[in-house]
Amino acid sequence: SQTIHQWPATLVQPVGSPLSLECTVEGTSNPNLYWYRQAAGRGLQLLFYSVGIGQISSEVPQNLSASRPQDRQFILSSKKLLLSDSGFYLCAWRASGSQETQYFGPGTRLLVL
Amino acid sequence: AQSVTQLGSHVSVSEGALVLLRCNYSSSVPPYLFWYVQYPNQGLQLLLKYTSAATLVKGINGFEAEFKKSETSFHLTKPSAHMSDAAEYFCAVRGTGFQKLVFGTGTRLLVSP
């Protein structure tokens, strides 16, 4: 069966510091991968998605970037965090092909102070 | 473009009462529709999905939803609420390009004894 992992689970970082959040998927090959942000009291905002290694699509201009160095690894990064980067970050995967369902990881809670 | 509207950011019911969470969609392509549930500080879990088969879809935990094309609706129901149903619920529709999902802003379900 497929599983998705995110780490760390919780992170507190000062403004201006770098960020690296990692997401890995097991049990599937060539998945579509997604990064979402969920701000307090708001819905899910799609940040990036990837259909393959090195292929990244950005949905909104922002202070963040994403990379996919391996087939089942998706990384969310920032060089300098802003207060507005605080939120709950969710990674999701979807089997490539006709299946539509996205499956979500447990999330990372980021607090920028 | 695809969009989802969830009426009511908060819904309160008593334990044992009917649960009704509303979702209306707009889609320029045949819609695939989803309901996800999110418990505090966790990722999203798929409850059920509609992918153009039967219009009444049964999901996990006793939930079901009915696709009504004439009303562009996909409301989520459960005959009898349980305390463990308290969570946030998200409706989503397949986005353009089919790789993406467009989420509603969510409805928080509160269940009182």
Side-chain angles (χ1 to χ4, degrees):
Chain A
S1 63
Q2 300 86 7
T3 56
I4 178 169
H5 305 278
Q6 287 186 246
W7 64 89
T10 306
L11 191 60
V12 181
Q13 292 285 93
V15 170
S17 64
L19 173 74
S20 181
L21 303 183
E22 190 164 344
C23 170
T24 58
V25 181
E26 297 177 355
T28 187
S29 296
N30 195 31
N32 292 169
L33 297 172
Y34 305 82
W35 277 113
Y36 290 87
R37 177 168 58 203
Q38 189 176 22
R42 302 172 77 174
L44 280 79
Q45 179 186 34
L46 179 62
L47 303 175
F48 301 95
Y49 72 95
S50 171
V51 299
I53 295 174
Q55 301 179 63
I56 309 294
S57 295
S58 175
E59 288 296 294
V60 293
Q62 59 204 315
N63 184 43
L64 301 169
S65 62
S67 61
R68 185 169 176 175
Q70 299 181 45
D71 181 44
R72 289 168 287 182
Q73 184 185 32
F74 204 23
I75 297 173
L76 184 69
S77 304
S78 174
K79 292 182 180 179
K80 289 186 177 182
L81 283 169
L82 306 172
L83 287 174
S84 58
D85 291 324
S86 293
F88 193 48
Y89 288 82
L90 290 161
C91 181
W93 74 273
R94 167 186 171 273
S96 59
S98 61
Q99 184 176 349
E100 305 297 334
T101 304
Q102 291 184 19
Y103 299 95
F104 285 79
T108 294
R109 173 84 50 200
L110 172 64
L111 180 59
V112 182
L113 301 176
Chain B
Q2 279 65 254
S3 67
V4 169
T5 301
Q6 291 185 243
L7 294 176
S9 59
H10 292 80
V11 170
S12 295
V13 299
S14 299
E15 193 173 19
L18 171 72
V19 175
L20 171 61
L21 304 182
R22 299 178 185 274
C23 172
N24 288 89
Y25 70 91
S26 172
S27 179
S28 56
V29 298
Y32 283 9
L33 295 156
F34 306 80
W35 275 101
Y36 285 86
V37 60
Q38 184 181 32
Y39 299 101
N41 294 310
Q42 295 186 26
L44 276 69
Q45 180 183 5
L46 180 69
L47 271 179
L48 50 81
K49 63 181 179 182
Y50 167 78
T51 57
S52 76
T55 56
L56 182 62
V57 182
K58 294 187 183 299
I60 62 171
N61 301 340
F63 284 93
E64 64 181 36
E66 186 172 8
F67 172 70
K68 292 187 177 181
K69 185 177 179 179
S70 61
E71 300 178 6
T72 61
S73 69
F74 190 57
H75 301 331
L76 183 70
T77 60
K78 182 174 181 178
S80 177
H82 192 273
M83 296 296 291
S84 61
D85 294 327
E88 188 150 22
Y89 293 80
F90 291 92
C91 183
V93 64
R94 176 177 62 175
T96 54
F98 295 174
Q99 297 100 330
K100 296 182 280 186
L101 294 178
V102 176
F103 285 86
T105 52
T107 297
R108 185 168 299 277
L109 176 66
L110 307 170
V111 182
S112 56

